[in-house]
């Protein structure tokens, strides 16, 4: 018989055929392969080559510094690649380690991995369901499926079968692996195990979901490819020109390798990492924990926020939103008297009952007296309790005075209303429909007057109830969510609500939050509110949006959100309510579950991107100016104006510290007023390349002019001419950093003293450059000639020309924009 369950030998046979009831996990990528993958980008390959070049010319310190930078970035990438495996492990941990089953007529406790299709699960409150199963027997059974479906309340289960096409959240005849039994007991026949369960399907989606490379990583790859071609091309041209002018092979080799090192911004990866880390710290101050550094920058490109409803846009706590009654105190007194939950220091019980008790307690001062369970229980003790039953859709408590306090479905209360009921039943039904349209979950409250009997039959069709009214409940919107949605929209970021809830509930919440309104057309509503969404729907929606070129941030807390969170460009887990699976799949965790933190994170991402972009432009402008100076000198048949050690020193003075000061610069105040960046645009567009080349031409021209003048006009020795050119290039490289603090504002408009770090770095670096000119030892080391104070003043004055030219360029762009407008 089916009530006896499977025979042990039959269960063993099925286990050998189907395999264990576990969530599979793909083999992890070997550690050595993950390590090699960190060295695949063009920029990293250039840096690896630079290590060899620096070592070849005897600059061991530079080689070690570049190697450390590359190693740090490879380590970060390696541990990021391991994140997916941790998410899958967390998913496996959701399954029950052991379960009770009925086999051969006996109840056994076995390993959950040994469960097979056909087994009979014995369930009670507190159990974790070990497999997907069809409910055969149920006694007030309710399961918590929030992590799987997004449904905020426990779902009552019954034995009546539903159609196979029924949405997952409405499969009331099934219990699912990984969900918890919130109340009641049941006997359920296993219909799916392991990867065939709903949890297994999510595991497959999570396994298939691809994080992909972030917009910043893709852009840096393109920059690296361009940089590689340009560097090799310029070095080759300089080498050919030097050879044509009779330079020796040794000199050409040393010049070529030093120019290669000079052309590569070896400090860039470290600067980017530090900029992201500073952004991470600023996000932590806003209660946003960053698990993946690059995600901070990616947020700056976000165009759409896909968000779950429960716990993100709403509080995740049921509350009474409306009461409809002729006598509200009596309505609440009976409703409270028909509850089993407890409020206070140690709350317990059903979420619906907790909402009723809280509301009655909060309203008692306005309604003229206490409405709590304790006095009711003391004055009118319970005689009989009929727990909530999915079959009758009601609960009743019979008191010692013979009255029955009843709460349940509106249709049930209306059908059993007394013919002479004081309350207008037709009006009650109409109000119930209006509440449902507003997305409220409606309960009817009634009392059966004392009849001399001390029980009540919930299955009877007797018309013996006196309806008292309706209570409408919902998971209310967060107060800050509406403002966060408005702020995101003003920043050019659209919000889309994806939820497993019923469309009526979803649309009602969307209207309260300002996502839609009365004038919204059906197409807009369909785009902004996606109701009854499963895990497959969520990941499909994210993929569709990304295919359209959108950069998607996905928030959520349930297991059913995890695949979409991993698939999105940025995944955000919502604080303490998030499952471990969701946390492991996410890039960031919002500790306070506050959507406004996402908007702040978007702001931070835009700041970081802008800072990284202007830092790269600053670095490449300097590198290209050095290459161009060497190229012009080679074309003119003159000795190289800069020696290999000079190039390395210029990079040391003008790259790491000034670049870092720019990378952590304070943001423009209107950063959120700008539209999101196109994710397909290059990190260095036409405007950025124009600035790089303009800067390179101006700075190289200044350096060559002073070098040529010292040799040809002033007849200075070669070492003194090189000293002048060298010092001028260092001064120019440091001073022009001030022009890069803003792409639109002039130096004095961009709060010049807001970045004190940059002021300090420039001052110290100039002092160091002055220092190596003053000591005989350092002059000999750098092969420099002695310069007078007048020479040093001239070098500093010439160093002001590039920064002045860049500021004049901003004025020219403004003037052109005004004329064009």
């Amino acid at each position: 018989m089916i009530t006896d369950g499977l025979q042990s030998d039959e269960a063993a046979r099925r286990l050998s055929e189907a395999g264990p009831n576990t969530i599979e996990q793909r083999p992890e990528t070997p550690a050595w392969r993950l390590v090699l993958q960190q060295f695949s980008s063009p920029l990293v390959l250039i840096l690896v080559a630079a290590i060899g070049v620096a070592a070849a010319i005897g600059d061991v310190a530079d080689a070690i510094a570049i190697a450390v930078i590359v190693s740090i970035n490879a380590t970060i990438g390696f541990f990021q690649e391991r994140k997916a495996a941790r998410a899958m492990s967390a998913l496996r941990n959701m399954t029950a380690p052991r379960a009770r089953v009925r086999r051969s007529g006996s109840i056994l406790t076995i390993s959950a991995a040994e469960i097979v299709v056909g087994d009979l699960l014995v369930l009670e409150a507190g159990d974790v369901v070990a497999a997907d199963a069809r409910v055969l027997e149920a006694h007030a059974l309710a399961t918590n499926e929030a992590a799987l479906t997004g449904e905020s309340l426990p779902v009552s289960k019954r034995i009546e079968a539903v159609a196979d096409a029924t949405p997952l959240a409405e499969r009331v005849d099934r219990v699912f692996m990984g969900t918890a039994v919130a109340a009641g007991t049941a006997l359920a026949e296993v219909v799916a195990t392991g990867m065939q369960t709903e949890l297994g399907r999510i595991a497959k989606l999570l396994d298939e979901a691809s994080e992909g490379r972030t917009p910043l990583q893709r852009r840096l790859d393109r920059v690296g490819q361009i940089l590689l071609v340009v560097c090799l091309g310029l070095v080759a041209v300089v080498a050919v020109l030097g050879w044509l002018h009779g330079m020796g092979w040794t000199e050409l080799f040393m010049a070529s390798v030093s120019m290669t090192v000079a052309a590569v911004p070896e400090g860039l990866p470290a600067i980017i990492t530090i900029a992201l880390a500073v952004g991470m710290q600023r996000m932590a101050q806003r209660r946003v924990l960053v698990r993946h550094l690059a995600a901070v920058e990616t947020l700056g490109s976000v165009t759409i926020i896909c968000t779950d409803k429960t716990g993100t846009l709403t509080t995740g706590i049921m509350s009474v939103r409306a009461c409809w009654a002729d006598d509200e105190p009596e309505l609440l007194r009976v409703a409270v008297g028909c509850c089993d939950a407890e409020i206070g220091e140690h709350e317990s019980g059903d979420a619906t009952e907790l909402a009723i008790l809280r509301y009655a307690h909060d309203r008692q001062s306005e309604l003229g007296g206490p409405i709590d369970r304790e006095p009711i229980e003391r004055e009118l003790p319970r005689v009989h309790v009929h727990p909530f039953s999915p079959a009758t859709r009601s609960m009743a408590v019979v008191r010692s005075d013979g009255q029955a306090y009843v709460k349940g479905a509106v249709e049930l209360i209306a059908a059993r209303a007394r013919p002479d009921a004081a309350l207008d039943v037709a009006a009650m039904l109409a109000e119930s429909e209006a509440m449902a349209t507003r997305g409220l979950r409606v309960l009817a409250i009634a009392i059966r007057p004392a009849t001399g009997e001390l029980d009540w039959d919930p299955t009877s069709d007797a018309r013996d109830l006196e309806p008292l009214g309706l209570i409408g409940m919902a998971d209310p919107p967060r107060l800050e969510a509406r403002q966060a949605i408005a702020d995101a929209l003003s920043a050019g970021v659209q919000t889309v609500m994806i939820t497993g809830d019923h469309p009526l509930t979803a649309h009602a919440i969307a209207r309260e939050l300002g996502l839609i309104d009365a004038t919204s057309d059906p197409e807009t509503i369909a785009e902004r509110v996606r109701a009854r969404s499963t895990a497959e729907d969520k990941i499909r929606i994210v993929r569709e949006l990304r295919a359209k070129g959108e950069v998607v941030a996905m928030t959520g807390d349930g297991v059913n959100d995890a695949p979409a969170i991993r698939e999105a460009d940025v995944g955000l887990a919502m604080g303490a309510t998030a499952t471990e699976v969701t946390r492991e799949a996410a890039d960031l965790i919002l500790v306070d579950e506050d959507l406004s933190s996402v908007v702040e994170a978007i702001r931070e991402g835009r700041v970081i991107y802008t800072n990284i972009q202007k830092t790269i432009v600053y670095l490449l402008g300097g590198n290209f100016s050095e290459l161009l100076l060497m190229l012009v000198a080679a074309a003119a048949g003159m000795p190289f104006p800069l020696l290999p050690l000079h190039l390395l020193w210029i990079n040391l003075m003008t790259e790491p510290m000034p670049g870092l000061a720019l990378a952590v610069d304070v943001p423009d105040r209107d950063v959120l007023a700008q539209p999101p960046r196109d994710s397909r645009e290059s990190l260095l567009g036409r405007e950025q390349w124009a600035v790089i080349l303009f800067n390179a031409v101006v700075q190289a021209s200044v350096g060559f002019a002073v070098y040529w003048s010292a040799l040809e006009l002033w007849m200075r020795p070669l070492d003194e001419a090189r000293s002048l050119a060298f010092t001028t290039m260092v001064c120019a490289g440091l001073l022009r950093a001030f022009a890069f603090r803003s792409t639109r504002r002039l130096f004095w408009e961009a709060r010049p003293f807001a970045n004190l770090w940059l002021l300090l770095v420039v001052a110290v670096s100039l002092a160091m450059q002055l220092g190596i000119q003053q000591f005989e030892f350092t002059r000999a080391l750098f092969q420099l000639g002695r310069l007078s104070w007048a020479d040093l003043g001239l070098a500093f004055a010439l160093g002001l020309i590039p920064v002045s030219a860049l500021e004049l360029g901003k004025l020219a762009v403004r003037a052109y924009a005004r004329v064009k407008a």
Side-chain angles (χ1 to χ4, degrees), residues 769-776 778-779 786-787 789 792:
Q769 180 65 26
L770 178 64
I772 66 170
Q773 296 282 350
Q774 302 305 310
F775 301 101
E776 190 66 36
T778 51
R779 284 202 303 270
R786 182 182 293 274
L787 295 181
W789 285 102
L792 294 174

Side-chain angles (χ1 to χ4, degrees), residues 49 94 618 715:
M94 284 192 62
Y618 165 76
M715 300 301 177

Side-chain angles (χ1 to χ4, degrees), residues 100 122-127 129 135 137-144 154-157 175 180-187 350 387-390:
R100 289 181 301 147
V122 180
L123 302 172
E124 63 181 27
D127 287 348
V129 181
V135 179
E137 299 176 8
H139 303 280
L141 178 67
T143 58
N144 187 342
V155 180
S156 297
K157 300 294 182 177
V175 290
V181 179
T185 60
L187 187 68
D350 177 75
F388 178 83
S389 167

Side-chain angles (χ1 to χ4, degrees), residues 192 208 211 228 331 368 383 402 413 420 451 483 522 627 664 700 730 733 788 817:
E208 295 168 0
E211 289 182 320
L228 179 61
L331 170 82
V383 177
I413 302 298
D420 59 347
T451 62
Q483 185 60 49
L627 289 176
V664 297
V730 171
S788 65

Side-chain angles (χ1 to χ4, degrees), residues 425-645:
V425 175
M428 182 177 74
L429 291 170
E431 181 63 24
S432 171
E433 185 175 342
M435 285 185 178
T437 303
R438 289 159 53 196
L440 301 182
R441 185 165 299 194
V442 186
L443 273 180
I445 308 299
I447 191 169
R448 187 207 64 180
T451 62
E453 297 183 11
L454 292 181
D455 202 359
W456 182 72
D457 184 1
T459 63
S460 170
D461 57 3
R463 300 184 66 183
D464 55 355
L465 295 180
E466 185 71 38
L468 298 176
L470 305 173
I471 295 178
M473 286 170 287
D475 179 7
R478 289 179 174 273
L479 296 177
E480 67 276 9
R482 183 182 179 93
Q483 185 60 49
I485 290 171
D487 291 343
L489 187 61
S490 67
V493 180
Q494 186 62 257
T495 303
V496 175
M497 183 168 73
I498 308 178
T499 176
D501 277 348
H502 190 280
L504 281 178
T505 304
H507 291 164
I509 293 294
R511 283 191 292 272
E512 289 193 59
L513 291 169
L515 278 173
I516 59 175
D517 55 35
T519 64
S520 298
D521 56 77
E523 183 177 349
T524 300
I525 294 175
E527 287 179 355
R528 298 180 184 176
V529 183
R530 311 291 183 95
R532 281 298 184 232
S533 296
T534 63
E536 290 91 342
D537 293 329
K538 292 180 180 184
I539 197 170
R540 174 182 54 78
I541 292 167
V542 170
R543 285 173 175 167
E544 287 177 357
L545 292 172
R546 294 185 70 191
K548 294 177 182 178
E550 307 286 358
V551 178
V552 181
M554 176 74 195
T555 75
D557 55 4
V559 175
N560 62 327
D561 299 317
I565 281 175
R566 187 173 175 215
E567 180 73 21
D569 295 285
V570 182
L572 302 105
M574 302 305 293
T577 61
T579 64
E580 189 63 24
V581 180
T582 311
R583 286 169 173 261
E584 290 294 343
D587 299 300
L588 300 97
I589 298 173
L590 304 185
V591 177
D592 292 334
E593 304 177 11
D594 187 348
L595 194 66
S596 62
S597 297
V598 180
V599 180
E600 284 300 315
I602 289 174
R603 176 181 181 275
E604 192 62 47
R606 292 185 181 183
V607 170
I608 289 173
Y609 178 87
T610 300
N611 285 349
I612 289 175
Q613 185 183 56
K614 68 188 183 186
T615 299
I616 292 176
V617 173
Y618 165 76
L619 295 178
L620 293 184
N623 292 344
F624 282 13
S625 68
E626 298 161 29
L627 289 176
L628 189 57
L629 174 59
M630 302 289 279
L631 176 64
V632 172
M638 301 175 67
F640 286 130
L642 300 173
L643 299 175
L645 190 57

